Amino acid sequence: MQRGPLRPWNILTEALPNLRCPNSEGTAGSRLVTLHGRIAPARRDCSGWEMFLPTGCLLLSVLLFHPALAKVCNDRTKHGQDNSWFARDGENLPIMVLMPMNESALMSSISQGIEPAVQLAIQHIRESRKYSFSLITKIYDTECDNAKGLRAFFDAICYGPKHLMIFGGVCPSVTSIIAESLEGWNLVQLSFAATTPVLADKKKYPNFFRTVPSDNAVNPAVVKFLNYYNWSRVGTLTQDVQRFSEVRNDLTSELEKADIQIADTESFSNDPCVNVKKLKDNDVRIIIGQFDENLASKVFCCAYNLNMFGSKYQWIIPGWYQGKWWEQANTTNCTTKKLLTAMEGYISVDFEPLSARQIKGISGRTPKEYESEYSKELHQKGVEASKFHGFAYDGIWVIAKTLTRVMELLRVKQRQNTYHNFTVDDREVGKMVLDVMNETNFFGVTGQVMFRNGERMGTIKFNQFQEGAEVKVGEYNAIADVLDLINNSIRFQGVEPPKDRTFVRLQRRHINVPLYSILSTITILGMLMAGAFLFFNIKNRNHRLIKMSSPYMNNLIILGGMLSYASIFLFGLDGGFVSDKEFETLCTVRTWILIVGYTTAFGAMFAKTWRVHAIFKNVKMKKKIIKDQKLLIIVGGMLLIDLCILICWQIVDPLKRTVEEYSLEADPQGRDIAIRPFLEHCENTHMTIWLGIVYAYKGLLMLFGCFLAWETRNVSIPALNDSKYIGMSVYNVGIMCIIGAAVSFLTRDQPNVQFCIVALVIIFCSTITLCLVFVPKFITMRTNPDAATQNRRLKFTQNQKKEDSKTSTSVTSVNQANTSRLDGLQTDNHRLRMRITELDKELEEVTMQLQDTPEKTPYIKQNHYPDANNILSIRNFTDGKDGEKSILKNHLEQKPQAQWGSMDPSRINRGPLEDINSPEHIQRRLSLQLPILHHAYLPSIGGVDASCTSPNGSPGSSPRHRHMPPSYRVMVSGL
């Protein structure tokens, strides 16, 4: 029988130096050593082997590496067996069994519990009477040693019967060496205990099968378990040995296919605490461990010290540890109680040794019935059970079914070649065994038995450590790819399964609805107040008090205040009420409203103050009428500057929604989540520059208002001058804006505080401004509507009256000398004040009746109204020294020197009562005073005294009124 050449030549070279040849008595001989690339014996005491080769023990390697020579050895020992074994019924078919049987050998406990299962399977096969042959098993002791295992394999090849298959393989190293050479011998090996993932490489081990699932077989089950609880982020902790590293590598591949994130991968050799700490630092909650029980106690001790246990963590570890392993392998400083605390709730994953489905399988027995018989066998032989006994039992049935099927195929071929001498070689038989093995499918005591690329598609069980013991909670069927968890069997330490990470819930820091409601209510009250002021201003717009205070400007002040109030509603809206796109629009709208409202309100106030300043402080210029239309233009100019800034801002660098995230916070309700607050802001790239431009412009506007208020502080007509209240308003607004801006910046991460401060600043500024402007007018209207139009400078002291009597005699001598002209004018100025005071009330009442008088009288001829001209000219002296000098200068320039002496004697000789109260004088006074009062603010040139009774009052009531000589007449221009 020809055997093919052995391809992997390097398999045994590393094992041969430790390999001992058997001598003629079957005892151990000398070791083989490698010298200069050649294999030679260290001691020539293998006399029983020298008959074949001069080098004695070199025969072992030659036989292994040259199967053709092995044929000679096998031919000498095959005891007459030929290649027609498939043609006869009742044939004894030998099966090579390789496993460690020596009690001192590693993993020998596994083998001792396997032999009863194997014998029980052969017995059941014989009892079934479905098979035309008998299986004969010959056990060869490998002792879990590479050299001894190879020697046992050679003994079976050379001296044993012609084995059709190899059954066994427990130790990974021995099994992998033998399995790699099987293709050269055309033999198929079926293992029941070799779980190392290395053997899954079909390119390297094409003739290797196993009934026990590989260590990698648990990985699909773990992935299924992770998906069941929606865990998509895990970490791995692996002992740094090849067995566990291979499992981790395969697990990594499976996790990537399932789109599960591997947050961290840690490996350790002896001390796992550093690696466990890294897992915690990386916020790994679901930890998949690959380590033996000797290091498992260290891992859980570190987990206990780092508080990585309980409701927030889930450990998944191998399930093949020995019972009570934490007591036997505890080499840590942690007590057993601490270890049990940290271990509570872990999930262990391992293959299912016996199927939980109690149905009869290929042997006609249920798994439970088989287990009962197996237990009896163990009791009779006095050995311990092996966790692999079910896989060994099903493995014998696999061999029986495979050989039966191969025999059927060979018999079919034999019948087809009746006229020829049918022969079959080992290569063809080996290939047929491989094909049949891949088609295996039956239900055994370990579940459904079938192979996929030589790997068993078995059942994986899940156990959970509960109160000091492992409890089965579910299983995974690899064939159907189904995870079946037992209802209510898994007990997590929290109210729900652990999260796969610190679940971060984004939480918007928004403005509290109660706070927004309270401030909105206050804002509405402020807007109602502004509306009341507007109604008051419009209703009384024709009243002298309101008219003199520019009602149109007052309306603009109210409008600006209402816009400022309205911006509060917009500042309180965030992403919880509007979408992201609407929030960006909101950023722009509320900025525009606030800026325009501020400019409208304070621009109108400052424009009014500027008009007062222009009237009373710029006396050297020719006075003009400053109407409301001009003030509107000024306010419009200010708004135009605002619009230019805002439009450029919007085009070049518009405001956008930005999100600022803050550090994680614990859930206030104690849930296994973390809160990451975030806050929405309205920002742009060059926010500081644009705010600087706006602040600079508004600051200059406020400084200009302060300047005007200071300059007009001495103008004492309340209806006309608001400088006192404007100054108070600017002061309050300035201080509040500075404080509000600073505090708002410092509390930008606290939206409730920030909104409260901004809203209160706007409410305070708008309210205080409106109240300072309108409340005094409202009070005056209610108490004394005419008092506001009086000029308080018209109150004379007794000293002034005495001075008038002393200087009255000097009037007649004014024309005698030019040096005494000024003194005379001053004297007559005091006298005319007295006259005008008595006529004020009369003019006031007539004014109310004649409000529709033509708009203005720009020029009054001196020849027509000499008395009035003299009164008005001298009246201007009351404005101060500057006013006196200015009017005096105008008077001297307009009148030649000769005019000072021209006085009508007839007028001087008239009585004062007759002259002043004559109908001609009354008509002249009215025609002169009323147009000026209407268009140029009569208070600016003297005011009206409310103490007068009527224009037709008794002449006797003004005994001091005397006619002014025409030499004192000057031209009066409208203001």
Side-chain angles (χ1 to χ4, degrees):
M1 184 180 295
Q2 298 292 329
R3 293 184 181 271
L6 182 64
R7 289 195 294 268
W9 288 84
N10 60 338
I11 299 174
L12 301 180
T13 55
E14 60 184 37
L16 285 176
N18 296 320
L19 184 62
R20 295 180 182 271
C21 300
N23 56 20
S24 57
E25 290 80 19
T27 61
S30 62
R31 291 189 304 166
L32 295 179
V33 297
T34 304
L35 297 174
H36 305 291
R38 300 180 61 186
I39 303 176
R43 205 171 55 224
R44 301 175 59 94
D45 56 357
C46 300
S47 58
W49 294 83
E50 291 178 354
M51 60 180 294
F52 299 105
L53 287 174
T55 56
C57 294
L58 185 62
L59 176 62
L60 178 60
S61 62
V62 173
L63 290 173
L64 289 174
F65 285 90
H66 296 275
L69 296 178
K71 177 178 182 297
V72 176
C73 177
N74 193 265
D75 286 342
R76 290 176 178 267
T77 58
K78 65 180 181 178
H79 305 295
Q81 185 179 5
D82 55 23
N83 60 358
S84 61
W85 56 270
F86 59 88
R88 297 183 297 271
D89 293 334
E91 190 79 12
N92 292 328
L93 302 182
I95 303 298
M96 182 192 305
V97 180
L98 297 175
M99 57 184 179
M101 298 300 295
N102 193 332
E103 293 182 0
S104 62
L106 184 67
M107 302 179 73
S108 61
S109 60
I110 296 177
S111 302
Q112 293 175 2
I114 292 298
E115 185 178 4
V118 172
Q119 297 301 326
L120 195 59
I122 294 175
Q123 177 185 344
H124 292 167
I125 292 173
R126 188 182 303 112
E127 292 175 355
S128 66
R129 298 182 180 180
K130 295 180 180 179
Y131 302 92
S132 60
F133 56 84
S134 296
L135 294 177
I136 304 299
T137 59
K138 175 65 175 176
I139 299 177
Y140 296 88
D141 186 7
T142 62
E143 300 184 37
C144 262
D145 181 83
N146 293 347
K148 294 178 181 179
L150 287 174
R151 187 188 67 183
F153 176 70
F154 171 76
D155 287 344
I157 293 292
C158 189
Y159 294 104
K162 184 178 180 180
H163 301 94
L164 298 178
M165 293 185 66
I166 300 176
F167 183 66
V170 177
C171 303
S173 59
V174 177
T175 304
S176 60
I177 291 175
I178 295 176
E180 192 172 0
S181 64
L182 293 177
E183 187 178 9
W185 297 98
N186 295 314
L187 290 174
V188 176
Q189 181 178 2
L190 179 65
S191 174
F192 54 83
T195 60
T196 175
V198 175
L199 298 171
D201 186 0
K202 289 294 111 179
K203 292 182 179 180
K204 194 173 182 180
Y205 310 102
N207 289 30
F208 180 81
F209 289 79
R210 51 187 164 190
T211 56
V212 61
S214 165
D215 290 338
N216 287 344
V218 302
N219 292 333
V222 170
V223 172
K224 201 74 173 180
F225 186 78
L226 295 175
N227 288 330
Y228 182 85
Y229 288 104
N230 296 321
W231 290 330
S232 60
R233 185 177 184 269
V234 300
T236 60
L237 182 64
T238 309
Q239 184 179 349
D240 195 10
V241 295
Q242 182 181 8
R243 175 185 181 183
F244 299 116
S245 298
E246 291 169 350
V247 176
R248 181 198 59 196
N249 294 337
D250 183 75
L251 176 63
T252 301
S253 177
E254 294 290 337
L255 293 174
E256 290 177 352
K257 292 178 182 178
D259 197 22
I260 296 176
Q261 177 189 0
I262 303 176
D264 191 14
T265 299
E266 297 293 331
S267 298
F268 67 95
S269 297
N270 186 29
D271 185 9
C273 291
V274 175
N275 307 93
V276 174
K277 178 67 166 56
K278 290 181 180 179
L279 291 173
K280 182 177 182 180
D281 294 339
N282 290 326
D283 191 34
V284 176
R285 300 290 197 87
I286 311 301
I287 305 169
I288 303 174
Q290 293 291 339
F291 37 78
D292 58 31
E293 59 264 35
N294 295 322
L295 289 177
S297 58
K298 293 184 178 181
V299 170
F300 283 105
C301 182
C302 297
Y304 180 85
N305 294 331
L306 294 172
N307 199 29
M308 293 181 64
F309 62 92
S311 61
K312 294 183 179 181
Y313 292 90
Q314 181 61 60
W315 289 84
I316 301 175
I317 63 174
W320 42 262
Y321 297 165
Q322 299 296 324
K324 303 291 183 178
W325 59 266
W326 57 89
E327 295 178 353
Q328 302 172 8
N330 185 7
T331 59
T332 66
N333 295 327
C334 294
T335 62
T336 302
K337 182 178 180 181
K338 291 181 179 180
L339 287 180
L340 293 176
T341 301
M343 292 161 50
E344 184 67 26
Y346 75 69
I347 299 293
S348 64
V349 186
D350 195 15
F351 53 81
E352 183 74 86
L354 290 176
S355 176
R357 300 173 60 189
Q358 297 304 317
I359 59 176
K360 293 183 178 182
I362 190 172
S363 65
R365 293 166 178 83
T366 65
K368 190 173 183 179
E369 293 172 349
Y370 156 75
E371 187 178 19
S372 177
E373 293 185 30
Y374 173 73
S375 299
K376 291 180 181 179
E377 291 290 332
L378 290 177
H379 181 70
Q380 291 177 1
K381 295 184 178 182
V383 296
E384 295 182 357
S386 171
K387 63 180 295 186
F388 300 98
H389 67 88
F391 300 103
Y393 180 85
D394 284 342
I396 297 298
W397 280 96
V398 170
I399 293 175
K401 286 183 65 65
T402 300
L403 294 179
T404 299
R405 179 59 180 163
V406 170
M407 292 175 65
E408 293 175 355
L409 293 175
L410 290 175
R411 289 174 181 177
V412 170
K413 285 188 175 182
Q414 186 181 33
R415 287 194 297 270
Q416 293 175 352
N417 294 273
T418 305
Y419 303 102
H420 303 280
N421 186 16
F422 176 75
T423 59
V424 60
D425 60 9
D426 293 345
R427 185 187 300 274
E428 186 176 359
V429 172
K431 188 177 183 306
M432 294 177 67
V433 171
L434 282 175
D435 294 338
V436 173
M437 289 279 289
N438 284 318
E439 297 175 357
T440 301
N441 189 358
F442 65 86
F443 186 82
V445 295
T446 58
Q448 196 71 25
V449 180
M450 64 179 299
F451 302 100
R452 184 176 297 170
N453 293 326
E455 294 296 307
R456 168 72 185 274
M457 304 298 292
T459 302
I460 306 300
K461 68 173 180 177
F462 289 87
N463 291 341
Q464 186 180 35
F465 190 76
Q466 299 176 2
E467 299 179 356
E470 288 192 353
V471 178
K472 183 178 179 180
V473 294
E475 63 180 28
Y476 169 76
N477 189 333
I479 299 175
D481 190 26
V482 174
L483 176 66
D484 184 18
L485 296 180
I486 303 174
N487 294 333
N488 301 322
S489 59
I490 296 183
R491 296 188 305 184
F492 296 106
Q493 299 186 53
V495 295
E496 59 183 356
K499 306 295 182 183
D500 60 0
R501 68 199 75 189
T502 299
F503 184 76
V504 178
R505 176 174 297 177
L506 292 177
Q507 186 178 80
R508 179 184 286 105
R509 287 186 175 178
H510 57 82
I511 298 168
N512 291 337
V513 175
L515 176 63
Y516 182 76
S517 302
I518 293 173
L519 292 176
S520 298
T521 302
I522 298 175
T523 302
I524 293 173
L525 294 177
M527 297 185 74
L528 293 176
M529 179 193 69
F533 287 151
L534 180 63
F535 175 77
F536 168 78
N537 189 70
I538 295 175
K539 180 180 179 181
N540 299 284
R541 65 184 180 278
N542 294 323
H543 192 279
R544 177 176 178 78
L545 177 64
I546 303 302
K547 180 175 289 187
M548 292 180 67
S549 65
S550 301
Y552 293 111
M553 294 297 102
N554 294 342
N555 291 341
L556 289 181
I557 294 172
I558 297 173
L559 177 61
M562 297 186 75
L563 288 176
S564 300
Y565 280 129
S567 66
I568 297 176
F569 298 109
L570 303 181
F571 275 106
L573 298 178
D574 53 25
F577 298 95
V578 297
S579 63
D580 295 346
K581 186 68 174 179
E582 293 171 345
F583 185 82
E584 288 191 359
T585 305
L586 196 64
C587 291
T588 303
V589 171
R590 68 189 187 188
T591 303
W592 282 52
I593 289 178
L594 184 59
I595 291 177
V596 171
Y598 174 89
T599 302
T600 303
F602 282 90
M605 290 176 60
F606 298 157
K608 288 174 57 178
T609 310
W610 171 81
R611 176 161 62 182
V612 176
H613 179 272
I615 293 174
F616 287 94
K617 291 298 180 180
N618 199 10
V619 295
K620 294 183 179 180
M621 296 176 58
K622 184 177 180 181
K623 294 186 177 182
K624 300 178 180 180
I625 298 176
I626 302 176
K627 302 179 67 175
D628 286 351
Q629 287 80 352
K630 188 171 184 179
L631 301 184
L632 291 174
I633 293 175
I634 294 174
V635 177
M638 296 179 184
L639 290 175
L640 183 62
I641 295 175
D642 274 338
L643 291 177
C644 292
I645 295 175
L646 293 173
I647 291 174
C648 293
W649 188 351
Q650 183 65 23
I651 294 175
V652 176
D653 193 12
L655 288 171
K656 294 183 179 180
R657 174 183 177 269
T658 60
V659 177
E660 181 180 4
E661 294 185 354
Y662 299 91
S663 58
L664 294 176
E665 299 177 357
D667 180 52
Q669 300 179 3
R671 294 173 297 178
D672 186 19
I673 61 174
I675 303 298
R676 184 179 294 281
F678 73 94
L679 189 59
E680 297 167 309
H681 297 291
C682 294
E683 293 181 351
N684 52 13
T685 306
H686 305 288
M687 190 71 174
T688 306
I689 297 176
W690 293 108
L691 288 179
I693 294 173
V694 174
Y695 289 160
Y697 171 55
K698 301 303 178 185
L700 290 175
L701 187 62
M702 292 189 69
L703 289 177
F704 179 65
C706 292
F707 168 75
L708 294 178
W710 176 261
E711 286 293 309
T712 59
R713 67 188 183 281
N714 293 324
V715 179
S716 58
I717 305 174
L720 182 64
N721 181 34
D722 295 327
S723 61
K724 176 182 178 182
Y725 303 116
I726 291 174
M728 294 174 60
S729 177
V730 170
Y731 172 79
N732 286 284
V733 170
I735 295 298
M736 291 300 298
C737 287
I738 293 174
I739 296 176
V743 177
S744 176
F745 177 78
L746 295 175
T747 59
R748 69 192 307 266
D749 59 338
Q750 303 178 37
N752 288 312
V753 178
Q754 187 182 45
F755 171 68
C756 184
I757 292 173
V758 171
L760 290 178
V761 167
I762 295 175
I763 292 173
F764 177 82
C765 294
S766 301
T767 303
I768 198 68
T769 299
L770 293 176
C771 289
L772 287 174
V773 171
F774 292 98
V775 170
K777 293 179 174 56
F778 181 79
I779 295 175
T780 303
M781 286 286 295
R782 290 292 183 182
T783 58
N784 190 5
D786 296 326
T789 60
Q790 295 178 0
N791 190 334
R792 296 185 179 92
R793 296 187 191 178
L794 297 181
K795 298 179 180 179
F796 293 95
T797 63
Q798 294 296 329
N799 294 331
Q800 289 175 322
K801 295 180 180 179
K802 292 179 181 180
E803 186 181 355
D804 290 343
S805 63
K806 290 180 182 180
T807 58
S808 60
T809 56
S810 63
V811 177
T812 56
S813 61
V814 172
N815 294 329
Q816 297 178 0
N818 292 335
T819 57
S820 61
R821 290 171 184 163
L822 181 58
D823 295 334
L825 291 174
Q826 291 176 347
T827 302
D828 288 333
N829 178 38
H830 291 298
R831 293 175 181 175
L832 289 173
R833 286 180 180 176
M834 297 298 298
R835 294 181 184 181
I836 293 173
T837 301
E838 295 177 359
L839 293 174
D840 279 340
K841 185 173 181 180
E842 298 177 6
L843 293 174
E844 174 66 17
E845 294 180 358
V846 174
T847 301
M848 298 299 293
Q849 300 175 7
L850 301 176
Q851 289 180 356
D852 296 331
T853 305
E855 186 174 350
K856 66 178 180 176
T857 305
Y859 177 77
I860 304 173
K861 295 182 179 181
Q862 299 177 22
N863 295 331
H864 291 172
Y865 306 109
D867 293 339
N869 278 304
N870 291 332
I871 293 171
L872 296 175
S873 300
I874 296 172
R875 181 69 182 128
N876 280 304
F877 291 140
T878 63
D879 293 337
K881 288 184 178 182
D882 293 339
E884 293 174 0
K885 293 179 181 180
S886 177
I887 296 175
L888 178 59
K889 181 178 179 180
N890 293 337
H891 174 74
L892 295 177
E893 290 177 355
Q894 294 174 7
K895 293 296 180 180
Q897 294 293 332
Q899 193 174 4
W900 287 96
S902 59
M903 183 178 295
D904 190 358
S906 62
R907 297 179 62 88
I908 297 175
N909 295 331
R910 294 182 183 179
L913 298 177
E914 180 184 0
D915 185 43
I916 292 176
N917 294 314
S918 63
E920 180 183 359
H921 281 78
I922 292 175
Q923 182 178 2
R924 290 179 179 179
R925 283 199 299 273
L926 293 177
S927 62
L928 172 66
Q929 297 287 353
L930 292 177
I932 296 174
L933 178 65
H934 184 66
H935 294 285
Y937 293 116
L938 182 60
S940 65
I941 58 171
V944 178
D945 194 342
S947 62
C948 300
T949 56
S950 67
N952 297 323
S954 173
S957 63
S958 301
R960 298 187 59 181
H961 280 260
R962 288 189 293 270
H963 178 67
M964 186 67 191
S967 59
Y968 296 99
R969 292 175 296 177
V970 294
M971 183 179 69
V972 178
S973 299
L975 298 178

